[in-house]
Amino acid sequence: ALNSLVPIGFGSVSSVTCPCSSGGFGKKGLCVTFRFASYYGDHMVLQKKPAGAVVWGYGEAGANVTVSLSKDSKVIMKKMAQVEVVRAPADHGVPYSVMAEQHSREEPKNLTLRDIYFGDVWLCSGQSNMEMTVSQIINASKELSEAPLYPYVRVFTASLIQSEVELQDLAKIDLEWSIPTAENLGHGNFSYFSAVCWLFGRHLYETLRYPIGLVESSWGGSCIESWSSGRVLQECGLTGELGIGPTLSRGSHLSRVLIAGEANALVNTDLYNCTFPALIADWRRTFHAGSEGQTQSLFPFGFVQVTGSQGTDHGDRNRCSEPTADYGYAPNKRMPNTFMAVAVDLCDEHSPYGSIHPRDKQNVAYRLHLGARAVAYGEKGLVFQGPYPTKVVVDGARGLINVTYGQELLLLLMHDRIFEVRSMGPCQWVPAPMVSASSHAVTLSSPGCRAAVTRLRYAWAEWPCEYRQCPLYNKHLLPAPPFVIDSALRTVPPAPPQHSRD
């Protein structure tokens, strides 16, 4: 059995749609209690315009259902429950109510959702690093005490329930839609509410100044295969494995945050550069189709690079290259409209939860929200990732390598082992010590094999540097991401022979 809680998207506006086989709430031939689907509730956030929201539920087969939106007890929109799109109200700073009324031969039945706001809804999922709650991170007491300052950031957490079939609705909920409190942000270890998700949403609210809805669905130790459909597994040659995929795809606009790949450090590691991009593409298709086209076909997808841990060595593969389809950065050609928060420098040797679970989620969330602002919200001129090489030149005659970067560098220290080189033939990776640095370039020494250097990599070890002490950052204190360059190395031609004058 695999995880059935692949998350659901909510509407990108107050369109009210109640899809069912018989024209109203409900399922054909099935007598059910008149109710909204499980993930709708008081205090929730529905996605604001320009797209449309999908609201659905269960009721008597064949009965008509009217859904209305009201503000201050005044109905401002009313629709029969058909597949239609209604634009959200312009005012996202006041609460609304959503009421569904079932008309049948029996006495009419009413449902009301209260204290509903319109804003942006983000989904947060992944493994145990996403499960870590606010009570588990550094400065936890301060973060928890500030929860009441953000009443317009609403939170929701799905339960961990296994299923071997795709589900249309959640089987169980841990935390219904809630206004944040110290109690529901720090419920316990690895439960709710996700620290990364909360801090990410809080940063967005401070920038956007309108409501943010956060939905958490995480499962510690889960592999990407558990979150993938059979289509993804087949595409990547995993035909013998069972995948479920985005089982809860009814909804509209979906923006996504994901912690990438802890468990896949040991399972199908060499295929992660296929399975992760394929999962993103498959989810986009599925959510777009399942929301009557209201979800963007290329909705934004963010993820966090897994921080290093002691005692692990995955050889030539790396936590950063695999989730980026071997590019080392995002967005890229195979993964458009994505963004990655680099966490290579946020190691935590003394974490009581093990070094794989660093407690600095503040920097993770901050870096992640920068990517969201730049990619998802299109904020021009915002630097959201650290410096990346634009040119590498090998000077074999002098045994030097010059690495040029596209951003101005902030050099914290010189490092003897964080750069590594490899030559053709039997030579293995060997350190290339930093010998000098300027505002946009680093010069390395190239010892080791005598053959020409053909590959260069940076911060490739599982523990490349101490906490926030990697050598290279930009002026915004964003770390240079790990990279490997295989084929773009230029070689300085040998100097022409010098002729003496007689």
Side-chain angles (χ1 to χ4, degrees):
L2 294 177
N3 185 0
S4 69
L5 301 182
V6 177
I8 175 136
F10 293 104
S12 174
V13 168
S14 163
S15 132
V16 268
T17 302
C18 304
C20 73
S21 57
S22 56
F25 270 40
K27 297 183 179 180
K28 187 175 181 180
L30 181 64
C31 181
V32 296
T33 302
F34 183 53
R35 60 183 174 87
F36 286 100
S38 64
Y39 40 85
Y40 297 99
D42 295 345
H43 313 302
M44 76 178 299
V45 176
L46 287 175
Q47 185 73 32
K48 67 180 186 64
K49 57 187 176 184
V54 175
V55 179
W56 68 281
Y58 305 88
E60 180 183 335
N64 291 322
V65 175
T66 301
V67 180
S68 59
L69 179 70
S70 63
K71 179 179 71 170
D72 298 328
S73 301
K74 180 181 178 181
V75 175
I76 60 175
M77 184 276 299
K78 192 171 186 177
K79 285 285 183 178
M80 293 298 292
Q82 303 297 327
V83 182
E84 301 177 43
V85 175
V86 179
R87 298 305 171 195
D91 187 356
H92 49 62
V94 297
Y96 292 82
S97 296
V98 176
M99 187 176 76
E101 184 177 6
Q102 178 176 274
H103 310 279
S104 65
R105 294 180 227 175
E106 302 177 5
E107 185 177 337
K109 298 178 180 178
N110 298 319
L111 300 171
T112 302
L113 303 177
R114 295 179 174 83
D115 190 38
I116 307 300
Y117 280 83
F118 290 92
D120 284 343
V121 178
W122 284 81
L123 219 55
C124 307
S125 75
Q127 296 83 32
S128 52
N129 268 295
M130 184 64 87
E131 283 184 314
M132 287 182 70
T133 67
V134 180
S135 62
Q136 294 180 265
I137 65 175
I138 58 174
N139 297 323
S141 297
K142 178 179 181 294
E143 303 292 2
L144 291 171
S145 69
E146 293 178 351
L149 301 178
Y150 300 90
Y152 301 114
V153 181
R154 304 295 174 84
V155 293
F156 175 99
T157 301
S159 298
L160 303 184
I161 301 292
Q162 294 180 326
S163 175
E164 292 184 356
V165 297
E166 296 187 9
L167 303 178
Q168 295 247 335
D169 203 354
L170 294 174
K172 189 179 178 183
I173 295 168
D174 278 349
L175 178 66
E176 296 183 345
W177 281 103
S178 303
I179 299 171
T181 66
E183 289 72 25
N184 60 33
L185 294 184
H187 183 71
N189 292 346
F190 302 103
S191 56
Y192 60 83
F193 188 74
S194 165
V196 170
C197 190
W198 165 251
L199 295 169
F200 169 81
R202 198 178 73 179
H203 281 305
L204 285 184
Y205 174 77
E206 290 171 342
T207 299
L208 302 171
R209 307 309 298 181
Y210 57 70
I212 299 292
L214 301 173
V215 179
E216 180 195 357
S217 177
S218 304
W219 197 307
S222 59
C223 298
I224 194 171
E225 292 79 11
S226 301
W227 301 82
S228 303
S229 70
R231 297 179 297 274
V232 170
L233 301 183
Q234 185 174 15
E235 178 181 340
C236 295
L238 294 168
T239 55
E241 306 208 23
L242 175 63
I244 296 299
T247 61
L248 301 171
S249 56
R250 280 190 179 179
S252 290
H253 180 90
L254 175 63
S255 300
R256 170 119 189 124
V257 183
L258 179 72
I259 289 281
E262 299 153 20
N264 284 92
L266 301 174
V267 179
N268 295 325
T269 304
D270 291 346
L271 293 176
Y272 203 76
N273 58 355
C274 175
T275 52
F276 192 50
L279 175 142
I280 295 172
D282 186 59
W283 281 14
R284 285 170 166 169
R285 288 189 297 265
T286 303
F287 282 109
H288 180 72
S291 63
E292 305 294 333
Q294 296 306 306
T295 302
Q296 299 174 37
S297 58
L298 283 176
F299 63 78
F301 195 113
F303 57 98
V304 183
Q305 170 201 52
V306 177
T307 307
S309 59
Q310 291 188 329
T312 55
D313 182 5
H314 305 308
D316 236 14
R317 292 297 181 180
N318 177 269
R319 75 186 81 83
C320 189
S321 67
E322 294 287 353
T324 60
D326 288 336
Y327 280 82
Y329 57 87
N332 57 59
K333 291 181 180 179
R334 288 186 60 193
M335 298 169 58
N337 212 30
T338 62
F339 53 95
M340 177 180 71
V342 173
V344 66
D345 64 330
L346 301 180
C347 304
D348 189 352
E349 180 181 2
H350 302 293
S351 171
Y353 315 105
S355 61
I356 192 63
H357 298 121
R359 291 164 290 176
D360 182 357
K361 302 305 185 193
Q362 286 87 344
N363 272 297
V364 171
Y366 178 76
R367 295 171 185 178
L368 191 62
H369 110 281
L370 290 178
R373 286 168 57 186
V375 175
Y377 295 98
E379 191 170 330
K380 302 299 182 183
L382 179 68
V383 177
F384 68 98
Q385 49 194 0
Y388 199 82
T390 57
K391 183 174 66 174
V392 178
V393 177
V394 178
D395 185 345
R398 296 195 299 163
L400 299 175
I401 301 172
N402 296 306
V403 186
T404 303
Y405 284 83
Q407 297 182 40
E408 183 177 350
L409 297 174
L410 174 63
L411 178 68
L412 292 194
L413 52 91
M414 303 295 282
H415 203 293
D416 289 339
R417 306 186 65 83
I418 201 163
F419 283 95
E420 297 173 288
V421 294
R422 189 170 184 175
S423 305
M424 295 182 64
C427 293
Q428 299 300 311
W429 289 101
V430 294
M434 299 170 62
V435 295
S436 66
S438 62
S439 62
H440 286 81
V442 175
T443 300
L444 312 174
S445 174
S446 177
C449 290
R450 297 180 179 178
V453 171
T454 57
R455 306 181 73 191
L456 172 70
R457 68 187 188 186
Y458 172 79
W460 215 252
E462 287 300 323
W463 197 275
C465 60
E466 295 304 315
Y467 177 71
R468 300 188 70 180
Q469 287 295 309
C470 282
L472 301 178
Y473 292 77
N474 63 15
K475 62 182 180 180
H476 305 286
L477 297 181
L478 298 176
F483 68 82
V484 61
I485 297 178
D486 293 315
S487 59
L489 302 188
R490 284 182 48 204
T491 302
V492 175
Q498 300 294 315
H499 299 282
S500 60
R501 292 182 179 182
D502 295 330

